[in-house]
Protein backbone atom coordinates (compact mmCIF):
# COMPACT_ATOMS: atom_id res chain seq x y z
CA UNK A 1 0.00 0.00 0.00
CA UNK A 2 1.39 3.42 -0.91
CA UNK A 3 1.77 6.18 1.62
CA UNK A 4 -0.90 8.27 -0.10
CA UNK A 5 -3.36 5.37 0.16
CA UNK A 6 -2.92 5.05 3.92
CA UNK A 7 -5.50 7.26 5.68
CA UNK A 8 -3.53 7.43 8.94
CA UNK A 9 0.24 7.79 9.06
CA UNK A 10 2.73 7.57 11.90
CA UNK A 11 5.99 9.51 11.94
CA UNK A 12 8.58 9.23 14.71
CA UNK A 13 11.15 11.79 15.75
CA UNK A 14 12.71 10.20 18.79
CA UNK A 15 10.30 10.51 21.71
CA UNK A 16 7.73 12.53 19.72
CA UNK A 17 5.22 10.55 17.66
CA UNK A 18 3.31 12.40 14.94
CA UNK A 19 -0.03 10.98 13.82
CA UNK A 20 -1.17 12.32 10.44
CA UNK A 21 -4.76 12.29 9.16
CA UNK A 22 -3.80 11.53 5.59
CA UNK A 23 -6.59 12.14 3.08
CA UNK A 24 -5.54 15.56 1.75
CA UNK A 25 -7.58 15.10 -1.43
CA UNK A 26 -10.68 14.99 0.85
CA UNK A 27 -9.38 17.59 3.32
CA UNK A 28 -8.63 14.65 5.64
CA UNK A 29 -12.28 13.67 6.01
CA UNK A 30 -12.85 10.50 8.02
CA UNK A 31 -14.03 7.15 6.75
CA UNK A 32 -14.78 4.19 8.96
CA UNK A 33 -11.33 2.83 8.07
CA UNK A 34 -9.78 6.13 9.18
CA UNK A 35 -11.55 5.92 12.52
CA UNK A 36 -10.50 2.30 13.03
CA UNK A 37 -6.87 2.86 12.11
CA UNK A 38 -6.64 5.99 14.25
CA UNK A 39 -7.90 4.03 17.25
CA UNK A 40 -5.45 1.20 16.59
CA UNK A 41 -2.59 3.67 16.39
CA UNK A 42 -3.40 5.46 19.65
CA UNK A 43 -3.80 2.15 21.50
CA UNK A 44 -0.38 1.14 20.21
CA UNK A 45 1.21 4.47 21.14
CA UNK A 46 -0.31 4.33 24.62
CA UNK A 47 1.62 1.11 25.28
CA UNK A 48 4.92 2.59 24.08
CA UNK A 49 7.05 3.84 26.99
CA UNK A 50 9.38 5.52 24.50
CA UNK A 51 6.71 8.06 23.56
CA UNK A 52 6.67 11.31 25.52
CA UNK A 53 4.33 13.36 23.35
CA UNK A 54 1.94 12.70 20.47
CA UNK A 55 1.47 15.38 17.81
CA UNK A 56 -1.78 15.04 15.85
CA UNK A 57 -2.25 16.88 12.56
CA UNK A 58 -3.89 16.73 9.17
CA UNK A 59 -1.95 16.29 5.95
CA UNK A 60 -1.36 19.54 4.09
CA UNK A 61 -2.25 23.03 5.28
CA UNK A 62 -5.86 23.35 4.09
CA UNK A 63 -7.51 21.33 6.82
CA UNK A 64 -7.12 19.43 10.05
CA UNK A 65 -10.34 17.60 9.17
CA UNK A 66 -13.92 18.52 8.18
CA UNK A 67 -15.25 15.43 9.97
CA UNK A 68 -16.82 12.38 8.42
CA UNK A 69 -16.83 11.89 4.66
CA UNK A 70 -20.45 12.55 3.69
CA UNK A 71 -19.94 10.47 0.56
CA UNK A 72 -19.69 7.37 2.76
CA UNK A 73 -23.07 7.91 4.42
CA UNK A 74 -25.06 6.20 1.67
CA UNK A 75 -23.11 2.96 2.05
CA UNK A 76 -21.96 2.95 5.68
CA UNK A 77 -24.40 5.13 7.67
CA UNK A 78 -27.67 5.07 5.78
CA UNK A 79 -29.77 3.68 8.65
CA UNK A 80 -29.72 3.23 12.41
CA UNK A 81 -28.25 -0.28 12.33
CA UNK A 82 -25.29 0.87 10.25
CA UNK A 83 -24.93 4.03 12.32
CA UNK A 84 -24.75 2.02 15.56
CA UNK A 85 -21.97 -0.15 14.11
CA UNK A 86 -20.13 2.91 12.78
CA UNK A 87 -20.61 4.65 16.12
CA UNK A 88 -19.01 1.75 17.98
CA UNK A 89 -15.86 2.19 15.90
CA UNK A 90 -15.87 5.94 16.58
CA UNK A 91 -16.39 5.38 20.30
CA UNK A 92 -13.43 3.00 20.50
CA UNK A 93 -11.19 5.59 18.83
CA UNK A 94 -12.48 8.49 20.91
CA UNK A 95 -11.81 6.51 24.08
CA UNK A 96 -8.36 5.48 22.82
CA UNK A 97 -7.33 9.09 22.21
CA UNK A 98 -8.98 10.40 25.36
CA UNK A 99 -7.40 7.65 27.44
CA UNK A 100 -3.91 7.99 25.99
CA UNK A 101 -1.50 8.44 28.89
CA UNK A 102 0.91 10.52 26.82
CA UNK A 103 0.27 14.25 26.25
CA UNK A 104 -1.38 14.98 22.90
CA UNK A 105 -0.91 18.22 20.94
CA UNK A 106 -3.24 19.03 18.03
CA UNK A 107 -1.59 20.98 15.21
CA UNK A 108 -4.54 22.62 13.44
CA UNK A 109 -4.33 24.08 9.96
CA UNK A 110 -7.43 25.40 8.21
CA UNK A 111 -10.76 23.60 8.61
CA UNK A 112 -11.52 21.82 11.89
CA UNK A 113 -15.22 21.07 12.02
CA UNK A 114 -17.58 18.23 12.90
CA UNK A 115 -15.66 15.07 13.69
CA UNK A 116 -12.44 17.01 13.20
CA UNK A 117 -13.36 19.22 16.13
CA UNK A 118 -14.34 16.15 18.14
CA UNK A 119 -10.85 14.71 17.62
CA UNK A 120 -9.12 18.03 18.34
CA UNK A 121 -11.14 18.37 21.55
CA UNK A 122 -9.47 15.21 22.84
CA UNK A 123 -5.99 16.77 22.65
CA UNK A 124 -4.38 18.34 25.70
CA UNK A 125 -3.20 21.38 23.72
CA UNK A 126 -4.74 22.72 20.49
CA UNK A 127 -2.66 25.14 18.44
CA UNK A 128 -4.21 26.67 15.31
CA UNK A 129 -3.53 29.25 12.64
CA UNK A 130 -5.25 32.60 12.26
CA UNK A 131 -7.25 31.41 9.25
CA UNK A 132 -8.51 28.22 10.94
CA UNK A 133 -12.26 27.68 11.08
CA UNK A 134 -14.30 25.67 13.57
CA UNK A 135 -17.83 24.45 14.17
CA UNK A 136 -20.21 21.49 14.31
CA UNK A 137 -22.95 22.26 11.74
CA UNK A 138 -24.50 18.79 11.79
CA UNK A 139 -27.96 20.22 12.48
CA UNK A 140 -27.99 20.93 8.75
CA UNK A 141 -27.63 17.18 8.10
CA UNK A 142 -30.37 16.19 10.52
CA UNK A 143 -27.83 14.44 12.73
CA UNK A 144 -26.92 14.53 16.40
CA UNK A 145 -23.63 13.92 18.15
CA UNK A 146 -23.65 10.72 20.18
CA UNK A 147 -22.73 10.79 23.86
CA UNK A 148 -19.22 9.53 23.07
CA UNK A 149 -18.69 12.29 20.49
CA UNK A 150 -20.25 15.01 22.60
CA UNK A 151 -18.43 14.33 25.88
CA UNK A 152 -15.00 15.71 24.85
CA UNK A 153 -16.51 18.97 23.60
CA UNK A 154 -18.61 19.44 26.76
CA UNK A 155 -15.58 18.76 28.97
CA UNK A 156 -13.56 21.24 26.95
CA UNK A 157 -15.90 24.23 26.74
CA UNK A 158 -18.78 23.42 29.10
CA UNK A 159 -22.45 22.73 28.38
CA UNK A 160 -23.47 26.29 27.52
CA UNK A 161 -20.85 26.82 24.83
CA UNK A 162 -21.28 23.26 23.53
CA UNK A 163 -25.00 23.86 23.05
CA UNK A 164 -24.33 27.22 21.39
CA UNK A 165 -22.00 25.52 18.91
CA UNK A 166 -24.48 22.71 18.21
CA UNK A 167 -27.76 24.61 18.19
CA UNK A 168 -26.62 27.55 16.06
CA UNK A 169 -24.30 25.50 13.89
CA UNK A 170 -22.14 28.50 13.05
CA UNK A 171 -18.66 28.25 11.57
CA UNK A 172 -16.44 30.53 13.65
CA UNK A 173 -12.92 31.85 13.30
CA UNK A 174 -9.76 31.27 15.31
CA UNK A 175 -10.21 34.35 17.49
CA UNK A 176 -13.67 33.17 18.53
CA UNK A 177 -12.35 29.66 19.08
CA UNK A 178 -9.76 31.06 21.46
CA UNK A 179 -12.38 33.13 23.28
CA UNK A 180 -14.66 30.11 23.68
CA UNK A 181 -11.83 27.88 24.88
CA UNK A 182 -11.93 25.61 21.84
CA UNK A 183 -8.22 26.18 21.18
CA UNK A 184 -5.28 26.83 23.47
CA UNK A 185 -3.26 29.12 21.20
CA UNK A 186 -3.56 30.99 17.90
CA UNK A 187 -0.49 31.83 15.83
CA UNK A 188 0.22 33.01 12.29
CA UNK A 189 -0.66 30.35 9.73
CA UNK A 190 2.95 29.85 8.72
CA UNK A 191 3.99 29.37 12.36
CA UNK A 192 1.52 26.63 13.35
CA UNK A 193 3.85 23.72 12.65
CA UNK A 194 6.79 25.39 14.38
CA UNK A 195 4.75 26.28 17.45
CA UNK A 196 3.18 22.83 17.70
CA UNK A 197 6.57 21.18 17.34
CA UNK A 198 8.05 23.50 19.96
CA UNK A 199 5.22 22.71 22.37
CA UNK A 200 5.69 18.98 21.79
CA UNK A 201 9.41 19.33 22.43
CA UNK A 202 8.85 21.27 25.67
CA UNK A 203 6.52 18.50 26.83
CA UNK A 204 8.85 15.69 25.74
CA UNK A 205 11.80 17.32 27.54
CA UNK A 206 9.95 17.09 30.84
CA UNK A 207 9.73 14.08 33.10
CA UNK A 208 7.42 11.64 31.25
CA UNK A 209 6.05 10.02 34.40
CA UNK A 210 5.02 13.44 35.67
CA UNK A 211 3.18 14.24 32.43
CA UNK A 212 1.29 10.94 32.62
CA UNK A 213 0.42 11.48 36.27
CA UNK A 214 -0.82 15.00 35.60
CA UNK A 215 -3.05 13.76 32.77
CA UNK A 216 -4.43 11.04 35.01
CA UNK A 217 -5.05 13.36 37.96
CA UNK A 218 -6.75 16.05 35.85
CA UNK A 219 -8.95 13.39 34.25
CA UNK A 220 -9.96 12.09 37.68
CA UNK A 221 -10.88 15.60 38.84
CA UNK A 222 -12.82 16.47 35.69
CA UNK A 223 -14.74 13.20 35.84
CA UNK A 224 -15.61 13.86 39.46
CA UNK A 225 -14.02 10.68 40.74
CA UNK A 226 -14.29 10.14 44.48
CA UNK A 227 -10.65 10.13 45.49
CA UNK A 228 -9.51 7.31 47.73
CA UNK A 229 -6.56 7.41 50.12
CA UNK A 230 -4.62 5.42 47.51
CA UNK A 231 -5.42 8.02 44.86
CA UNK A 232 -4.19 10.85 47.05
CA UNK A 233 -1.11 8.86 48.07
CA UNK A 234 -0.20 8.29 44.40
CA UNK A 235 0.51 12.01 44.03
CA UNK A 236 3.65 11.47 46.13
CA UNK A 237 4.99 8.47 44.20
CA UNK A 238 7.13 10.85 42.17
CA UNK A 239 9.46 11.32 45.15
CA UNK A 240 10.67 7.74 44.76
CA UNK A 241 11.53 8.06 41.06
CA UNK A 242 14.92 8.41 39.43
CA UNK A 243 13.51 11.32 37.44
CA UNK A 244 12.86 13.29 40.63
CA UNK A 245 16.43 12.79 41.77
CA UNK A 246 17.74 13.70 38.31
CA UNK A 247 15.52 16.78 38.22
CA UNK A 248 16.48 18.36 41.51
CA UNK A 249 20.17 17.55 41.06
CA UNK A 250 20.12 19.19 37.64
CA UNK A 251 18.34 22.20 39.13
CA UNK A 252 21.02 22.62 41.79
CA UNK A 253 23.74 22.19 39.17
CA UNK A 254 21.97 24.65 36.83
CA UNK A 255 21.99 21.97 34.13
CA UNK A 256 19.32 20.53 31.84
CA UNK A 257 17.86 17.37 33.42
CA UNK A 258 18.03 14.07 31.54
CA UNK A 259 14.90 12.10 32.37
CA UNK A 260 14.65 8.34 31.80
CA UNK A 261 11.02 7.70 32.74
CA UNK A 262 11.96 5.68 35.78
Amino acid sequence: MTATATPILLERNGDIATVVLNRPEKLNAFTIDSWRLLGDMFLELDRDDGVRCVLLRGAGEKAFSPGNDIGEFETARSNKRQAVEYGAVMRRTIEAIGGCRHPVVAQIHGICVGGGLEIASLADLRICGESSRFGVPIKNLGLVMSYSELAPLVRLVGPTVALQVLLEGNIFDAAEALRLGVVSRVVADDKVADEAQAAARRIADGAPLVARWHKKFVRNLVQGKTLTDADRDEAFDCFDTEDFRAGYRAFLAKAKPQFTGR
Side-chain angles (χ1 to χ4, degrees):
M1 179 178 291
T2 63
T4 55
T6 305
I8 305 294
L9 298 178
L10 176 64
E11 302 169 353
R12 286 295 293 262
N13 179 16
D15 47 17
I16 297 175
T18 299
V19 177
V20 184
L21 312 177
N22 188 46
R23 295 186 74 218
E25 74 284 358
K26 293 288 187 178
L27 300 179
N28 306 315
F30 280 93
T31 64
I32 192 167
D33 288 337
S34 302
W35 281 106
R36 186 179 294 109
L37 289 170
L38 184 62
D40 291 345
M41 192 164 291
F42 265 89
L43 289 172
E44 181 180 341
L45 290 172
D46 181 64
R47 295 189 291 265
D48 189 340
D49 286 337
V51 175
R52 296 193 181 184
C53 186
V54 180
L55 192 61
L56 179 59
R57 65 176 178 85
E61 297 185 357
K62 293 183 178 179
F64 180 80
S65 175
N68 289 329
D69 190 335
I70 304 302
E72 194 180 50
F73 277 41
E74 188 173 357
T75 57
R77 300 179 81 190
S78 64
N79 55 58
K80 182 176 180 178
R81 179 188 61 78
Q82 288 183 333
V84 168
E85 294 172 356
Y86 199 112
V89 175
M90 293 176 65
R91 177 180 177 181
R92 173 179 176 270
T93 297
I94 289 168
E95 291 177 351
I97 300 172
C100 182
R101 60 195 176 120
H102 310 302
V104 179
V105 176
Q107 175 183 318
I108 302 170
H109 298 276
I111 298 168
C112 182
V113 302
L117 183 53
E118 294 170 21
I119 292 297
S121 296
L122 292 161
D124 302 298
L125 295 177
R126 292 156 306 284
I127 299 169
C128 77
E130 293 171 334
S131 68
S132 294
R133 295 293 181 268
F134 302 85
V136 188
I138 58 173
K139 71 182 185 67
N140 299 325
L141 294 172
L143 296 177
V144 301
M145 291 177 75
S146 68
Y147 282 107
S148 298
E149 299 169 79
L150 187 56
L153 182 62
V154 173
R155 285 197 296 267
L156 180 63
V157 299
T160 300
V161 171
L163 279 173
Q164 173 186 315
V165 169
L166 290 165
L167 296 179
E168 294 192 65
N170 292 331
I171 301 298
F172 48 94
D173 63 18
E176 180 70 355
L178 183 63
R179 187 185 72 82
L180 294 175
V182 171
V183 297
S184 313
R185 202 171 306 160
V186 179
V187 299
D189 289 337
D190 62 354
K191 299 297 183 184
V192 175
D194 289 344
E195 183 60 27
Q197 287 282 351
R201 176 42 56 201
R202 286 191 291 270
I203 291 168
D205 283 347
L209 295 176
V210 170
R212 294 167 195 162
W213 271 318
H214 278 151
K215 281 200 65 169
K216 179 181 180 180
F217 295 167
V218 169
R219 186 182 300 120
N220 287 344
L221 290 172
V222 170
Q223 293 176 349
K225 178 182 179 181
T226 300
L227 299 178
T228 65
D229 289 342
D231 290 326
R232 296 182 183 279
D233 185 71
E234 186 180 11
F236 302 97
D237 285 352
C238 59
F239 286 91
D240 283 338
T241 65
E242 292 180 19
D243 281 353
F244 165 65
R245 288 185 284 275
Y248 81 75
R249 286 169 182 161
F251 179 84
L252 293 175
K254 298 182 179 180
K256 182 178 180 179
Q258 300 297 318
F259 296 117
T260 61
R262 294 192 294 270

